[in-house]
Amino acid sequence: MKTGKKHFRTWMMWIGAVALLVALLLTTRLVSAAIYPEYLRNGRTFDQESNYIQWNGSVGYISLFHRDNTSLPAFEGGAHCGSGCTEQVTRIQSGSSISGNFTYLQTFNVQVAYSGDTNVGTAIIRACGQPIRTENLYIANQGTPGFNNLPVPAWSVPTAGDCTWSITASGGYVDFRAVTTTYRTTPAPTVDLRVNSSNGPINVGVPGSYTLSWTSTNAASCSASGSWSGSQATNSSQPYNNVAAGIYTYTITCTNPTGSATDSVTVNVLSAPTVTVSAPAAVTAPASYTATWSSSNASSCTGSNRFSTLTGLSGSRAETNLPVGTYDYTVTCTNAVGATAADTKRTVVYAAPTVDVKVDGLDGPTLTRTGPFSYSATWSSTNATSCTGSSRLAGYTGTTGSRAETNIPAGTIYDYTITCQNAAGTTASDSVRMVVVAAPTVDVRVNGSNGPLTFTQPASYTVSWSSTNATSCSALNNLPGPIATSGLTTFSNVLQAVYRYTVQCVNSAGSAVTDTVVVSVNPPPPTVDLRIDGGNGPITQVEPGGYTLTWTSTSAASCTASSSDMLWTGTVGAGGTITISGAVIGTHTYTLTCSNVTGTASDTVTAYIVAPLSGTITVTYSRLLLFAPNLGQPAQTLMGTASGGEPPYTIRVQVRSPSGIVSTYTRSGSSWQFTPGSAGDPNFGTTAEGTWMAWANLTDSAGRTFRTISIPWDVSWHPVHGRP
């Protein structure tokens, strides 16, 4: 059962009532507790609208399927329940009840459910202090519960005043769903709330005393809100005494079934005014300051004396460069009930004393020198009646004076302070601090050496430095900055040049010292690349030779050419091209040598110039007999030579018979011979009558070719001149 919801609300109502009662007792305002639950409204009030219904005992919600002529409430969809509805309804257990309040009702009835459940009980309905219906809700054999209005017709309420109603379950549970009401016809209410017979607002001084009074017409009930609370009579009054300062708004709302009416009054309980003026008591001329005032609980303020013509609940006056003199500031404030308060402050402006301390002729505030150092401290003053020294000037007096210092060592800090006072007690002080520091030192090194150093491009090294007694260091020449008083910088890929790495350091006195390391970066050894006809060679050409030399170099300061044939000599640029022509047979060597301070490099190419390819061919016999070997005579033998070009040589010997058939034979070497044995034919060169012809095609290793002259011989069928 969900009994806790109603009980929690009741508990919270009691806590609220107790708190409200305490508050009302503290302000001497007495009201009665509010009626709960709220009065039933005109129309139908469903059991879910819990503001209108109070649970008593064991009561809770259940989900119930019922079939009847009722409809679901609008907030549950409004469906008609003729075919059955399932909704949440209130179940009142035996001995428990629900109840509420109404006023101005004309008729009243409730919806409870008949059921065939043997556990259902009797509903006892009461209103205005009397039972209006007692109904046994059990109907034997009724399968589905159904809600009906009781009583029917609705009960006519005999009074327009306040009544309570209730439903009590007896002998079993009662399922309850809604209350249906109709209101009587009545005019809307009116209400008039006054304070001290005024519609307000009114102002009273603290502690406040006043009386609230109100009248209403056609009101069923009245309730208070704002600075009071609770139910009130429809016509009454309420006195208030010893009310603390504040703004109090009292509201009363009177209602009946037709409507409501509201009226409010406001009471301002005012505290006595206060005002505070602020201005310095004593200042030194020329004086600049701001005098101010602020107030509380005041309705107006007026200034006088130095504040003359100024008004407002708060304000100020800025003073600038006031001369010596006396100045008064007065403000008077009044609140809404005529109470007043005033305040005055006086400011006296005095001539200012001055004092000036100088150390080594300067004002400071801090001076730094490199020790040992000698100097003097002096002071002078104006508008002063006395002066007193402290720190290094302790024991010194007088409006002027001095102290001499000699050979003050490094590490010394002296403060020189003089305080002077004028006749009004205003003081002025001046101080100068002298700090004597040691001279700075700095040491710059490259790779740990003081230098000078020499490297080869691209160079890599580390520049480091350290100092003593320095407050800052700066990088000079080739050292990049900014830098700290010690550190290191690594350099890489440094190119050829002379570099100076300098660090200058200063101490807090401004004394400076420098150190430098010189680094020379030489170029790398030169490189040189000499090419002939675009390659590294060697090349071979036939006389007369012609070719092109090209060269490049890096890091070279100078380059010199030389050659075995004297065709290319002397100083040349770091890169270039030259064409050689007319080179004779022989070996031609060309050399390029480049140098710098670091070293020397050379490159050489070679050209071989050879004679043109040529050759010869001869025959052993210029005339032969047909098939001479058959007659005991010789066959033909060919011989030849090859020269020039580039051996080895390939020789293709070609022989044409009188019939025009050409035969080819291969030989090699610079001299060659082709015999019948070589040909594999004992009758070589004699197998046909007529003129034979032979020649040789020569090819060297470079692919050059040469064809010899053709040489003939004759073959006849009988000897003409004897032996050939």
Side-chain angles (χ1 to χ4, degrees):
M1 294 298 180
K2 299 181 180 179
T3 59
K5 178 178 180 183
K6 301 292 184 170
H7 295 158
F8 176 75
R9 184 181 291 112
T10 301
W11 174 243
M12 292 304 295
M13 287 292 294
W14 276 109
I15 293 175
V18 170
L20 179 62
L21 179 58
V22 171
L24 292 174
L25 289 174
L26 290 174
T27 59
T28 70
R29 290 173 288 177
L30 301 175
V31 296
S32 61
I35 294 177
Y36 181 81
E38 298 176 11
Y39 288 106
L40 289 175
R41 56 190 175 169
N42 189 28
R44 179 161 293 173
T45 300
F46 286 92
D47 62 336
Q48 300 299 307
E49 300 173 86
S50 57
N51 285 347
Y52 300 95
I53 302 170
Q54 174 69 52
W55 290 358
N56 305 286
S58 180
V59 181
Y61 290 130
I62 66 165
S63 180
L64 180 68
F65 178 77
H66 62 93
R67 185 182 296 113
D68 44 48
N69 287 325
T70 66
S71 297
L72 294 177
F75 54 78
E76 292 184 1
H80 188 262
C81 297
S83 298
C85 295
T86 299
E87 66 174 308
Q88 184 173 277
V89 299
T90 299
R91 174 160 291 182
I92 309 167
Q93 298 295 338
S94 181
S96 300
S97 65
I98 62 172
S99 61
N101 306 289
F102 61 78
T103 187
Y104 275 90
L105 287 190
Q106 182 171 327
T107 63
F108 167 86
N109 63 17
V110 300
Q111 284 187 7
V112 291
Y114 290 94
S115 175
D117 183 359
T118 56
N119 292 316
V120 74
T122 297
I124 303 172
I125 304 168
R126 294 182 175 87
C128 296
Q130 59 180 299
I132 62 172
R133 185 69 174 261
T134 299
E135 185 77 12
N136 183 356
L137 300 178
Y138 173 73
I139 300 177
N141 300 319
Q142 177 165 326
T144 302
F147 283 97
N148 287 277
N149 288 314
L150 293 176
V152 177
W155 183 65
S156 294
V157 180
T159 177
D162 291 347
C163 276
T164 60
W165 63 274
S166 66
I167 303 173
T168 301
S170 177
Y173 67 82
V174 171
D175 290 336
F176 159 74
R177 185 169 180 269
V179 178
T180 304
T181 59
T182 60
Y183 275 119
R184 299 174 185 272
T185 302
T186 182
T190 66
V191 64
D192 180 22
L193 176 63
R194 294 175 178 262
V195 56
N196 290 352
S197 301
S198 169
N199 286 320
I202 67 170
N203 298 322
V204 298
V206 70
S209 295
Y210 47 89
T211 299
L212 297 179
S213 61
W214 64 98
T215 60
S216 67
T217 63
N218 303 316
S221 63
C222 296
S223 62
S225 60
S227 298
W228 62 335
S229 63
S231 297
Q232 302 293 339
T234 55
N235 296 277
S236 188
S237 63
Q238 174 70 51
Y240 288 86
N241 297 297
N242 297 318
V243 179
I247 299 175
Y248 300 90
T249 298
Y250 301 91
T251 300
I252 189 166
T253 300
C254 295
T255 62
N256 69 18
T258 303
S260 64
T262 299
D263 195 14
S264 297
V265 293
T266 299
V267 179
N268 299 312
V269 181
L270 304 177
S271 297
T274 65
V275 60
T276 300
V277 175
S278 296
V283 290
T284 299
S288 296
Y289 56 90
T290 299
T292 64
W293 79 90
S294 61
S295 66
S296 63
N297 309 316
S299 59
S300 64
C301 295
T302 302
S304 57
N305 294 324
R306 198 69 180 168
F307 279 150
S308 179
T309 74
L310 298 182
T311 61
L313 301 181
S314 63
S316 63
R317 173 171 178 156
E319 304 285 16
T320 303
N321 296 323
L322 285 182
V324 172
T326 301
Y327 303 89
D328 290 329
Y329 300 88
T330 301
V331 174
T332 301
C333 295
T334 305
N335 71 2
V337 295
T340 62
D343 190 21
T344 298
K345 292 293 188 297
R346 169 169 289 181
T347 298
V348 179
V349 180
Y350 297 96
T354 68
V355 60
D356 182 23
V357 177
K358 293 184 182 296
V359 175
D360 197 25
L362 299 175
D363 288 323
T366 300
L367 303 176
T368 305
R369 298 291 184 268
T370 300
F373 190 69
S374 298
Y375 56 92
S376 292
T378 64
W379 72 93
S380 61
S381 66
T382 62
N383 303 320
T385 58
S386 64
C387 295
T388 303
S390 57
S391 300
R392 188 65 175 170
L393 293 177
Y396 284 76
T397 60
T399 56
T400 62
S402 66
R403 173 172 180 160
E405 304 282 13
T406 303
N407 293 325
I408 303 303
T412 301
I413 299 176
Y414 285 145
D415 289 322
Y416 300 87
T417 301
I418 293 290
T419 301
C420 296
Q421 180 174 322
N422 66 4
T426 302
T427 62
S429 295
D430 192 21
S431 294
V432 176
R433 169 171 286 186
M434 171 59 81
V435 179
V436 182
V437 296
T441 68
V442 61
D443 182 22
V444 181
R445 294 176 179 262
V446 173
N447 287 356
S449 171
N450 287 317
L453 298 127
T454 300
F455 296 92
T456 299
Q457 172 186 318
S460 296
Y461 47 83
T462 298
V463 178
S464 61
W465 64 95
S466 60
S467 66
T468 62
N469 307 317
T471 57
S472 65
C473 295
S474 57
L476 302 176
N477 297 326
N478 299 113
L479 186 64
I483 61 173
T485 55
S486 63
L488 57 85
T489 299
T490 299
F491 295 85
S492 59
N493 296 318
V494 182
L495 303 182
Q496 175 187 2
V498 176
Y499 300 90
R500 297 177 62 82
Y501 299 100
T502 301
V503 175
Q504 182 181 73
C505 295
V506 297
N507 65 5
S508 56
S511 298
V513 64
T514 61
D515 191 24
T516 300
V517 176
V518 177
V519 173
S520 298
V521 178
N522 292 332
T527 65
V528 61
D529 183 18
L530 176 63
R531 293 179 179 263
I532 183 167
D533 282 349
N536 290 319
I539 64 171
T540 302
Q541 291 185 352
V542 175
E543 183 187 30
Y547 38 82
T548 298
L549 301 178
T550 58
W551 67 95
T552 59
S553 65
T554 62
S555 305
S558 64
C559 294
T560 302
S562 62
S563 63
S564 61
D565 55 14
M566 303 302 290
L567 295 178
W568 186 49
T569 61
T571 300
V572 296
T577 301
I578 187 171
T579 299
I580 304 295
S581 61
V584 299
I585 295 172
T587 299
H588 299 260
T589 301
Y590 301 91
T591 301
L592 179 66
T593 301
C594 294
S595 302
N596 64 18
V597 296
T598 305
T600 300
S602 297
D603 196 13
T604 299
V605 295
T606 301
Y608 298 104
I609 307 302
V610 298
L613 180 63
S614 64
T616 64
I617 186 170
T618 60
V619 295
T620 303
Y621 305 104
S622 60
R623 292 182 298 277
L624 289 173
L625 293 177
L626 182 65
F627 292 109
N630 294 331
L631 300 175
Q633 296 296 312
Q636 187 62 278
T637 295
L638 302 177
M639 296 171 291
T641 62
S643 64
E646 297 178 69
Y649 307 107
T650 300
I651 297 100
R652 292 167 58 85
V653 180
Q654 293 185 296
V655 178
R656 185 175 65 197
S657 68
S659 63
I661 297 173
V662 177
S663 300
T664 301
Y665 307 95
T666 300
R667 299 280 87 187
S668 63
S670 58
S671 64
W672 55 272
Q673 186 179 59
F674 193 74
T675 65
S678 302
D681 182 3
N683 295 307
F684 174 65
T686 64
T687 58
E689 186 178 14
T691 299
W692 291 68
M693 192 71 69
W695 65 90
N697 290 317
L698 283 63
T699 303
D700 69 2
S701 62
R704 302 181 187 91
T705 62
F706 179 81
R707 177 173 171 162
T708 67
I709 62 173
S710 297
I711 187 166
W713 71 90
D714 293 324
V715 176
S716 60
W717 61 275
H718 59 82
V720 178
H721 302 290
R723 293 180 64 88

